[in-house]
């Protein structure tokens, strides 16, 4: 018997370090790790010890004899990876931590998402290191709370690890405190040896087409925040009265919003979706969502696990025209002779299987359209029509499979357009910024005065603001750890600046400027209030979405 990694895989690689026979790949030391959709267990090497099951934060690893019917395809997906990846077995040696100087290290982390927590996790292992985590929202966890789809509860299992970090005696929360408003970067630098910014990429990339700003033409970033109960987007205007919506883009976020739009609201009612979004979806008239992809199926940005999971949504058909499953010549040749990467092979195979499925009368639909790009959005008081151009492959042999417009256009009637073509970082006050890449210039997390410029001592970045909006939880873990290791290395080398003011007065400073700071106890009260409210309806939690209500919950008497 072997173990199998299934859809919830978060790529955080915690399972890799505990495997005694090195049967889980790609590992963080392998180049493929940074582009892998998930991790895979080699069925020929696995010794069925079960160590990975205990370590997995999202319960994605299952013995092969306990797989449900919907998870059985992962037997082949795991095995296929090893058809074209040669790996060596053997124990992975643990990293040795450097010896730290015999003095305290005080670190401020701005942001409370995954990258922030993975950096903190690495730092608080040392008792002499104190971490204060700041976030402008009253709640932690960043996109795990406000970005992960509500029907993907397993993925949110990483919160348990974050909570364990926050429970450390050398960790403190400064939630509901906005850096730049309640405390400045200069004031942080005066009070901490190091400041790490892990503020993510809070805005979206634009299409750059006529009509993009019409009512009901929205960024998926805002739509996701709306249905996840982010306080900034509670009052977002979303009109679901049309029968068709179009999602431009074909990454996992595109699949998430398409799935949420056509899922049965009664199924969503058991999740932690925001109440205002659930009410709107109950009244929704949308029965079809078109997912528009600029390139072909082989270059689709979604992961195979998320694509496969669409087929399990009750009452929803996945519709693909077989004629649109066109491959560029290089990919088609490699597919035919069996030399194509297994992940892409699986992507093509799954799409062809979906294309062969018969439609079910009365079902809602997610329709995939490949090799098409939007050129205009038109309408009177809102979105009515999306005009698209058909694309063809411009480079018959290049691996990037570049496409070019043919000039042939077609229209899609729709009342809602969501653009899901990527997140983008924004400038951070008092930090240098690379407008072209949407990141803070850095070297291994150390902030640079300009691209390839001098390092600014004591100033660091982690996560999407460091490397761009690519990769999920697993990539953020490595990213956060790398930044933390840079901080530790600079501490050992003696290059960090010494604070000139004690950090002990930070709480009073931000309070004097109007911040209603929420600490660990306050967050626990919010968490308890939401979970208690959820029990009545059999839900994970009922989210509080108003800042005032969150602050009140944080100050409430514990039950």
């Amino acid at each position: 018997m072997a173990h199998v990694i299934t859809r919830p895989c978060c790529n955080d690689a915690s399972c890799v370090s505990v495997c005694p026979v090195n049967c889980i790949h790609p590992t963080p030391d392998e180049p493929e790790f940074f582009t892998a959709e998930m991790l895979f267990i080699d069925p020929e090497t696995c010794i069925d010890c079960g160590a990975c099951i205990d370590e997995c934060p999202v319960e994605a690893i299952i013995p092969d004899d306990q797989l449900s019917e919907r998870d059985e395809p992962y037997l082949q997906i795991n095995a296929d990876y090893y058809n074209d990846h040669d790996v060596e077995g053997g124990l992975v040696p643990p990293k040795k931590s450097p010896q730290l100087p015999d003095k305290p290290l005080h670190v401020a982390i701005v942001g409370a998402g995954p990258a922030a927590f993975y950096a903190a996790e690495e730092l608080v292992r040392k008792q002499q290191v104190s971490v204060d985590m700041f976030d402008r929202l009253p709640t932690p966890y960043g996109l795990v709370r406000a970005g992960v789809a509500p029907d993907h509860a397993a993925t949110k299992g990483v919160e348990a690890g974050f909570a364990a970090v926050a429970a450390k005696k050398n960790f403190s929360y400064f939630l509901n405190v906005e850096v730049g408003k309640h405390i400045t970067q200069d004031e942080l630098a005066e009070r901490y040896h190091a400041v790490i910014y892990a503020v993510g990429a809070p805005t979206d990339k634009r299409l750059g087409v006529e009509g993009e700003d019409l009512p009901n033409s929205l960024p998926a970033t805002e739509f996701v925040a709306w249905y996840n109960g982010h306080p900034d987007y509670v009052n977002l205007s979303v009109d679901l009265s049309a029968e068709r919506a179009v999602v431009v883009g074909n990454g996992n976020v595109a699949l998430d919003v398409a799935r949420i739009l056509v899922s049965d609201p009664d199924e969503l009612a058991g999740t932690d979706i925001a109440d205002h979004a659930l009410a709107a979806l109950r009244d929704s008239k949308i029965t079809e969502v078109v997912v528009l992809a600029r390139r072909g199926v082989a270059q689709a940005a979604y992961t195979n696990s998320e694509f496969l999971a669409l087929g399990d949504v009750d009452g929803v058909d996945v519709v693909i025209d077989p004629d649109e499953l066109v491959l560029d010549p290089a990919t088609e040749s490699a597919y035919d002779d069996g030399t194509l990467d297994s992940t892409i092979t699986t992507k093509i195979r799954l799409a062809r299987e979906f294309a062969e499925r018969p439609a079910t009368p009365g079902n809602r639909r997610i329709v995939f359209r490949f090799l098409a790009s939007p050129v205009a959005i038109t309408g009177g008081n809102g979105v009515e029509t999306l005009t698209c151009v058909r694309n063809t492959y411009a480079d018959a042999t290049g691996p990037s499979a570049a496409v070019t417009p043919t000039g042939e256009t077609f229209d899609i009637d729709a009342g809602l357009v969501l653009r899901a073509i990527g997140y983008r970082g924004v400038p951070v006050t008092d930090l240098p910024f690379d407008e072209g890449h949407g990141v803070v210039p850095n070297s291994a997390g150390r902030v640079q005065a300009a691209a390839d410029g001098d390092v600014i001592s004591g100033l660091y970045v982690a996560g999407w603001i460091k490397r761009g909006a690519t990769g999920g939880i697993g990539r953020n873990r490595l990213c956060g750890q790398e930044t933390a290791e840079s901080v530790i290395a600079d501490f050992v080398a003696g290059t960090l600046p010494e604070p000139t003011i004690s950090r002990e007065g930070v709480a009073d400073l931000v309070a004097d400027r109007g911040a209603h700071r929420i600490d660990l106890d306050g967050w626990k009260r919010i968490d308890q209030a939401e979970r208690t409210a959820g029990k009545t309806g059999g839900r994970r939690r009922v989210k509080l979405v108003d800042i005032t209500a969150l602050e009140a919950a944080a100050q409430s008497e514990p039950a």
Side-chain angles (χ1 to χ4, degrees), residues 222-494:
E222 295 183 5
F223 184 71
V224 169
W226 172 75
Y227 66 61
N228 272 319
H230 191 298
D232 290 353
Y233 297 98
V234 172
N235 297 317
L236 182 71
S237 178
V238 182
D239 183 352
L240 305 178
S241 62
E243 293 185 356
R244 181 183 293 117
V246 177
V247 180
V248 181
N250 66 347
N252 282 351
V253 172
L255 267 57
D256 280 347
V257 298
R259 188 182 65 254
I260 293 297
L261 281 169
V262 293
S263 290
D264 185 345
D266 287 340
E267 293 294 326
L268 294 176
T271 73
D272 64 359
I273 190 170
D275 283 349
H276 59 262
L278 181 61
L281 289 165
R282 286 194 184 280
D283 293 335
S284 172
K285 300 296 188 292
I286 293 175
T287 58
E288 178 176 293
V289 179
V290 177
V291 178
L292 199 69
R294 182 175 62 88
R295 298 198 292 172
V297 62
Q299 292 79 36
Y302 53 71
T303 60
N304 286 329
S305 56
E306 291 299 325
F307 188 44
L308 179 64
L310 289 182
D312 296 321
V313 181
D314 290 338
V316 176
D317 287 336
V318 177
V319 179
I320 301 176
D321 184 343
D323 292 338
E324 292 201 4
L325 296 180
V326 179
L327 305 181
D328 62 282
T331 299
E332 186 168 21
S333 176
Y335 184 85
D336 290 341
D337 63 23
T339 60
L340 188 62
D341 179 87
S342 60
T343 299
I344 300 175
T345 298
T346 300
K347 203 176 295 283
I348 297 168
R349 174 177 60 81
L350 292 175
R352 290 178 175 177
E353 290 175 0
F354 275 131
E356 294 175 355
R357 291 189 181 186
T360 303
N363 270 7
R364 297 173 296 281
R365 296 152 46 99
I366 297 177
V367 180
F368 284 83
R369 300 294 304 269
F370 295 100
L371 290 168
S373 299
V375 293
I377 303 171
T378 55
N381 297 321
V383 172
E384 295 177 5
T385 304
L386 180 70
T387 300
C388 306
V389 63
R390 299 187 190 278
N391 297 324
T392 188
Y393 288 106
D395 185 348
T397 58
S400 63
V403 296
T404 186
T406 63
E408 180 187 353
T409 61
F410 63 94
D411 291 338
I412 302 175
D413 293 334
L416 171 66
V417 172
L418 297 171
R419 58 181 182 270
I421 56 175
Y423 288 68
R424 179 177 171 80
V426 298
V428 180
T429 303
D430 297 328
L431 268 64
F433 190 71
D434 181 342
E435 287 284 355
H437 296 92
V439 299
V440 172
N442 71 92
S443 174
R446 298 177 177 91
V447 173
Q448 297 173 301
D452 300 325
D454 295 334
V455 167
I456 302 176
S457 181
L459 194 55
Y460 302 82
V461 284
W464 284 359
I465 196 63
K466 169 186 172 183
R467 68 180 194 276
T470 59
I473 292 172
R475 183 76 183 276
N476 275 318
R477 180 170 197 167
L478 289 183
C479 184
Q481 288 174 340
E482 179 188 57
T483 296
E485 289 167 359
S486 292
V487 173
I488 294 296
D490 293 346
F491 181 49
V492 171

Side-chain angles (χ1 to χ4, degrees), residues 6 45 96 111 123 134 140 154 156 195 205 210 214 222 255 280 294 296 321 323 380 416 472 489 505 514-515 539 549:
T6 62
T45 308
K96 291 185 177 180
L123 291 167
F134 296 77
K156 301 185 184 188
V195 181
K205 295 179 180 178
E210 180 185 350
L214 279 171
E222 295 183 5
L255 267 57
R294 182 175 62 88
D321 184 343
D323 292 338
L416 171 66
R539 304 172 65 180

